[in-house]
């Protein structure tokens, strides 16, 4: 800034002012008649336009940089911008199911709901109505006719290797009622080896007379 002021003073044209009256002192008259004598001396190492020359010299010596040669800017994520789970998604499954079925011994419809399915304990319920075409082909009453069916399933995981399952099936129609209770325990013994145990009790009132049977099985299964 001081250099710019000095350039302005040095480059300004000399103006001859009328001699004011200073009581006739020749020294004062000489100073007043020549304003250039009133300029301040420059005691700086940079006078005039020296700083502009240095800046231009640095700019000429600095190499030109191609923006394409610069490394790409790294994107910085602020706290809270990170996604907790990224790139992973699972389709949601319904807790309810509806279906119609037909086979060689029964036709009908059923409705199912998974009351508890998340976690080690699971509870499921199914019920529906149908018509039995032939008896004794599956678990149910022993004569044809309209029937009502229901099923309750309970599952419990025990540790990382075992699972306990219990189910109760009921079919009723034409005055007969059939009930089946089964208990199952599956244990992972070794890698690709599973021990399966099953115990079932069947009860059929058979028009008031009734019959009951039980069976059990133990199997060691290897998966390939």
């Amino acid at each position: 800034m001081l250099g710019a002021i000095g350039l302005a003073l040095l480059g300004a044209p000399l103006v001859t002012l009328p001699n004011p009256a200073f009581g006739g002192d020749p020294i004062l008259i000489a100073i007043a008649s020549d304003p250039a004598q009133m300029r301040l001396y420059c005691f700086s190492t940079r006078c005039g336009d020296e700083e502009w020359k240095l800046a231009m010299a640095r700019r000429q010596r600095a190499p030109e940089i191609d923006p394409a040669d610069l490394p790409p800017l790294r994107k910085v994520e602020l706290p809270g911008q990170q996604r907790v789970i990224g790139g992973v998604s699972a389709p949601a499954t319904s807790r309810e199911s509806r279906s119609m079925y037909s086979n060689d011994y029964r036709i009908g419809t059923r409705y199912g709901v998974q009351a508890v399915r998340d976690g080690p304990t699971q509870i499921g319920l199914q019920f529906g109505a149908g018509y039995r075409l032939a008896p004794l082909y599956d678990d149910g009453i022993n004569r044809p006719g309209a029937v009502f069916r229901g099923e309750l399933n309970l599952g419990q995981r025990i540790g990382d290797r075992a699972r306990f399952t219990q189910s109760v099936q009921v079919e009723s129609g034409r005055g007969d009622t059939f009930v089946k209770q089964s208990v199952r325990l599956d244990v992972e013994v070794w890698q690709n080896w599973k021990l399966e145990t099953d115990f079932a009790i069947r009860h059929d009132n058979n028009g008031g007379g009734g019959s009951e049977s039980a069976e059990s099985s133990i199997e060691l299964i290897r998966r390939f």
Side-chain angles (χ1 to χ4, degrees):
M1 187 66 183
L2 292 176
I5 297 175
L7 287 175
L9 294 176
L10 290 174
L14 298 178
V15 179
T16 302
L17 301 176
N19 295 332
F22 289 101
D25 191 340
I27 297 176
L28 297 178
I29 294 174
I31 293 175
S33 62
D34 188 7
Q37 298 183 12
M38 302 179 64
R39 296 177 180 175
L40 298 177
Y41 292 99
C42 179
F43 297 98
S44 174
T45 57
R46 294 184 181 181
C47 297
D49 58 351
E50 184 65 20
E51 64 272 18
W52 301 102
K53 293 180 180 179
L54 293 176
M56 292 297 296
R58 294 193 190 98
R59 184 175 301 176
Q60 293 175 359
R61 290 196 303 267
E64 295 183 359
I65 300 176
D66 189 357
D69 298 335
L70 297 176
L73 297 178
R74 184 171 62 90
K75 184 179 179 181
V76 179
E77 294 186 356
L78 298 177
Q81 291 183 341
Q82 295 82 0
R83 300 177 62 182
V84 178
I85 299 178
V88 179
S89 62
T93 58
S94 175
R95 292 179 178 269
E96 301 179 0
S97 62
R98 299 176 178 84
S99 62
M100 299 183 65
Y101 64 91
S102 64
N103 47 45
D104 295 338
Y105 41 85
R106 192 175 65 251
I107 61 173
T109 181
R110 57 174 165 250
Y111 170 80
V113 58
Q114 291 290 331
V116 179
R117 65 175 182 177
D118 301 328
T121 303
Q122 296 181 354
I123 301 177
L125 178 64
Q126 289 186 4
F127 58 90
Y131 188 89
R132 176 167 290 280
L133 302 175
L136 303 180
Y137 277 76
D138 65 339
D139 294 326
I141 62 175
N142 60 1
R143 54 181 174 174
V147 295
F148 172 83
R149 292 178 61 89
E151 182 176 351
L152 175 65
N153 294 305
L154 304 176
Q156 179 67 46
R157 179 167 294 278
I158 305 173
D160 298 331
R161 295 179 175 269
R163 180 176 180 81
F164 174 81
T165 305
Q166 182 178 3
S167 65
V168 179
Q169 300 177 10
V170 179
E171 182 177 287
S172 178
R174 302 292 299 272
D176 293 348
T177 301
F178 172 86
V179 180
K180 176 185 176 181
Q181 301 185 49
S182 61
V183 178
R184 183 184 182 94
L185 180 62
D186 299 336
V187 181
E188 294 284 347
V189 183
W190 299 287
Q191 185 178 5
N192 298 328
W193 288 88
K194 179 186 288 187
L195 180 64
E196 297 182 352
T197 61
D198 191 5
F199 178 75
I201 300 176
R202 294 176 174 87
H203 176 79
D204 187 356
N205 65 0
N206 194 14
S211 63
E212 190 168 307
S213 63
E215 64 180 17
S216 62
S217 64
I218 300 178
E219 298 178 351
L220 182 62
I221 300 176
R222 186 183 189 277
R223 294 192 300 266
F224 294 94

